[in-house]
Amino acid sequence: MAAVGTCGEWFVSTCDKKLVAVHTKQAREPFVFDCSTAEKKPKDTETDNKSDGSEETGNDKILAFAVSPSGKLAALTDDTKRLVLFRCQPSWQCVSTRWVVRRCTSLVFSEAEEELLAADKSGDVYCFSVLEPQRDGELKLGHLSMLLAITLTPSDRYVITADRDEKIRVSHLKSPYNIQSFCLGHLEFVSALLIPSGHPQWLLSGSGDGTVKLWEYESGRKLQSWDLGELGDAASSEADKQKSAVCRIACSPDGRHVAVQCERVAAVQFFGVERGVEERLVPRSRLTLPRSALDLTFDLQGRLWVLTDCSAAPLQIYTHTQDGWEFDAESPDFTRVTEALRPHWETLQASAGGESRFQHLYKVNFDNTASYLQKKQQRLEQQKSHWGKKRAAGDAAEGGQRQKDQEGEGGSSNSTVGLNEQFRKEE
C-alpha cells in the first residue's frame, strides 16, 4: 500500500514493504524501516504441534499506517500480521513489534495516545496498549463483515467503524456493546472516515459508490451528500466521471479545506465550510493532477502533499493562494523530501502498479430472471410434448379396443341368427 503522512516536521511515506521518514526542515538521515528484514514471529510450540505444516505466510507488504494526534507516535501493520509501534521524536526508533490475530485494514491512536486500535478483515477491533508496548491486544468489538475504516471522536468518547456492508457504527469506546447510532445511506462499502477539524460533531464518510456524505454521527442523521462524479467539470475525462471508490478524506489543520481523493482518478475535490445561519460544507475547487493520485495529506502549514503514480516525479506539493491550489516546485521542503525518496521510487512504482485495492469489495448482482424464465418455458414445452405423446398413445389404444369390441359384438350377433334359423328348420 502506498501512503503518505506527516509526524510533526517529518514526512512519512510507505510503499510496498518499506516505511521512509524524511525531516522536512533539517538535512538529517532518513529513517527507513523494511518489514522484510524486521523481527520474525516466534514459533509457538503448541501451535506448531497442532498445525499440519500448511501455516499461511505473508509477504511483508504494509497494509495500514497511522500517526498519533501529537505526531510523536506512529504505527504500521503488514501482511505478515506485524503491528509495529514507533516513537518519532526527537528521532525515529522502533518501540515494539507485536502480532495481530488477523490482517488489519485500518489503525487509529486514541487522543490521549494511550491506546492503539486495529480493525481487521474479520470484522474485529483489537485494542493495544501504548504505555505497555509488549502487551497483547484485547478484543474490543466486532462486526459481521470486514472492517475497512476506523476513527475516534474527540475526547475518545465514541469509536466509529465502517464495514463492507455499507454500515457505519458509532459505539461507546469504554463500553462498545453500547451502540449510540448507525449512519446508513451508502450503497457500497464504506472506505474512508474523517471527523473534520473544528467540527467535532460532524463525520465525513466516503464509499465505493462514489459519494461523500456528511453526518451528525451522534444521532446518525445525514446532513449532506455529494456524488463526486457529478461534481467534475466538463473538461474532466470520462474515467474521472465514473464512480470510483473514495480512498482518502483529509482535512487541513485549520479546518478550512477538506480534500477527497478517489482511486485511479487524476484529480482532487476540495470542500469548504460555508458559514451562515447553519454551517455546511460546500464543494469548492477541483485540482487536476498530472497522474492518478495514490494518497494525500496536509502538513502543519496547510500544504497539500500528493503521491501519484508518475514514474518521473511521483510526489507533488500544493499551496493554497487566492487563485486556488498551485504547485510549489521551489519549496526547499519539497526538494529535500524528493531527493531523499528518489532511491525508493522504483519500489513505489512496483507497488502502485498492482490491482485495485477495492475491486474485490464490490457486490456482484446476478440477474438470473431471464435465464429462469427461459428454462421454465423449456420445461413447459417438454411437459406439453410428453403429455401430448401420452394422450395420442392413449387415444390410439382406446380406438383399437373399441374396434375389437365392435367386431366381437358383430360375431356374436351372426351366431345367434344362425342358431335361430336352424331351430326353425328342425321344427
Side-chain angles (χ1 to χ4, degrees):
M1 182 191 74
V4 292
T6 57
C7 294
E9 295 182 341
W10 290 87
F11 177 85
V12 186
S13 174
T14 63
C15 55
D16 199 44
K17 305 175 184 180
K18 292 183 179 180
L19 177 145
V20 183
V22 183
H23 202 283
T24 58
K25 303 299 182 183
Q26 302 175 11
R28 300 170 63 173
E29 187 70 20
F31 173 80
V32 180
F33 182 85
D34 191 341
C35 291
S36 61
T37 60
E39 177 185 343
K40 305 299 180 182
K41 184 176 183 179
K43 292 186 177 180
D44 187 346
T45 305
E46 293 185 10
T47 304
D48 293 343
N49 292 335
K50 294 179 182 179
S51 67
D52 58 358
S54 60
E55 185 178 353
E56 185 181 3
T57 58
N59 54 21
D60 298 320
K61 288 186 177 180
I62 297 174
L63 301 179
F65 165 75
V67 177
S68 66
S70 67
K72 296 179 180 179
L73 298 170
L76 67 80
T77 181
D78 64 9
D79 193 70
T80 314
K81 303 179 185 177
R82 290 185 188 89
L83 179 64
V84 187
L85 179 65
F86 301 96
R87 184 174 289 111
C88 310
Q89 296 180 8
S91 61
W92 277 72
Q93 61 176 347
C94 178
V95 177
S96 68
T97 300
R98 286 174 282 190
W99 307 92
V100 295
V101 179
R102 297 286 185 272
R103 290 177 175 84
C104 296
T105 55
S106 184
L107 303 173
V108 64
F109 282 92
S110 64
E111 186 176 15
E113 301 187 2
E114 297 177 351
E115 295 177 334
L116 172 64
L117 300 183
D120 64 30
K121 292 186 176 182
S122 64
D124 295 328
V125 174
Y126 282 83
C127 178
F128 293 85
S129 173
V130 174
L131 302 179
E132 300 178 60
Q134 302 301 330
R135 197 175 73 182
D136 292 337
E138 299 177 356
L139 180 63
K140 202 74 174 174
L141 60 90
H143 281 231
L144 295 177
S145 180
M146 178 192 299
L147 288 177
L148 299 176
I150 183 172
T151 191
L152 291 169
T153 64
S155 302
D156 297 333
R157 183 177 182 185
Y158 299 111
V159 54
I160 304 178
T161 47
D163 64 23
R164 184 183 180 182
D165 290 339
E166 310 103 28
K167 294 192 299 296
I168 301 173
R169 184 200 294 180
V170 183
S171 309
H172 289 260
L173 180 60
K174 293 184 178 180
S175 53
Y177 53 82
N178 185 2
I179 300 175
Q180 174 68 23
S181 66
F182 284 96
C183 300
L184 305 177
H186 283 293
L187 302 179
E188 286 288 353
F189 55 87
V190 182
S191 49
L193 296 174
L194 175 74
I195 295 180
S197 303
H199 295 84
Q201 76 281 10
W202 284 356
L203 172 70
L204 281 166
S205 64
S207 167
D209 59 13
T211 65
V212 172
K213 298 185 186 298
L214 178 65
W215 310 86
E216 186 183 75
Y217 61 81
E218 198 162 3
S219 63
R221 185 166 63 98
K222 182 174 67 176
L223 302 178
Q224 293 175 268
S225 178
W226 304 271
D227 188 328
L228 297 179
E230 296 177 357
L231 294 179
D233 52 28
S236 299
S237 64
E238 290 299 321
D240 290 352
K241 291 184 178 181
Q242 295 177 357
K243 292 188 183 301
S244 299
V246 177
C247 299
R248 182 74 177 270
I249 306 175
C251 183
S252 60
D254 58 7
R256 294 176 54 200
H257 309 288
V258 173
V260 179
Q261 171 226 336
C262 292
E263 187 182 39
R264 302 183 187 278
V265 175
V268 176
Q269 178 66 52
F270 289 96
F271 293 84
V273 178
E274 184 180 78
R275 305 187 184 277
V277 178
E278 184 176 329
E279 287 186 334
R280 62 185 187 130
L281 276 180
V282 293
R284 297 295 192 191
S285 59
R286 185 177 177 89
L287 174 63
T288 302
L289 304 172
R291 295 292 296 269
S292 298
L294 300 176
D295 197 20
L296 55 81
T297 188
F298 285 97
D299 61 16
L300 296 177
Q301 289 76 42
R303 297 175 298 183
L304 181 70
W305 297 74
V306 183
L307 188 66
T308 69
D309 61 0
C310 177
S311 58
L315 192 61
Q316 308 280 324
I317 184 172
Y318 296 89
T319 304
H320 187 258
T321 65
Q322 293 182 351
D323 299 327
W325 292 90
E326 296 183 356
F327 178 54
D328 189 5
E330 304 299 326
S331 169
D333 298 349
F334 174 70
T335 303
R336 187 175 294 109
V337 172
T338 301
E339 291 300 321
L341 292 180
R342 195 177 300 278
H344 306 282
W345 282 0
E346 186 175 345
T347 306
L348 173 63
Q349 285 302 113
S351 63
E355 296 181 353
S356 166
R357 287 194 296 135
F358 302 109
Q359 189 61 41
H360 67 286
L361 299 176
Y362 284 96
K363 293 183 177 180
V364 180
N365 296 321
F366 296 96
D367 184 10
N368 58 355
T369 305
S371 176
Y372 166 75
L373 293 176
Q374 182 180 3
K375 291 182 179 179
K376 181 179 179 181
Q377 184 64 29
Q378 291 176 354
R379 288 197 304 270
L380 291 175
E381 291 177 357
Q382 290 175 357
Q383 291 176 0
K384 184 177 180 181
S385 174
H386 174 72
W387 289 110
K389 290 179 180 180
K390 272 197 167 186
R391 188 178 294 108
D395 292 345
E398 185 179 351
Q401 185 64 38
R402 189 181 299 112
Q403 184 177 359
K404 288 182 180 180
D405 294 343
Q406 290 176 355
E407 290 177 354
E409 291 175 0
S412 61
S413 171
N414 292 337
S415 299
T416 305
V417 172
L419 288 174
N420 291 336
E421 291 179 355
Q422 184 177 359
F423 289 148
R424 284 196 209 97
K425 289 179 181 180
E426 291 178 351
E427 291 175 355

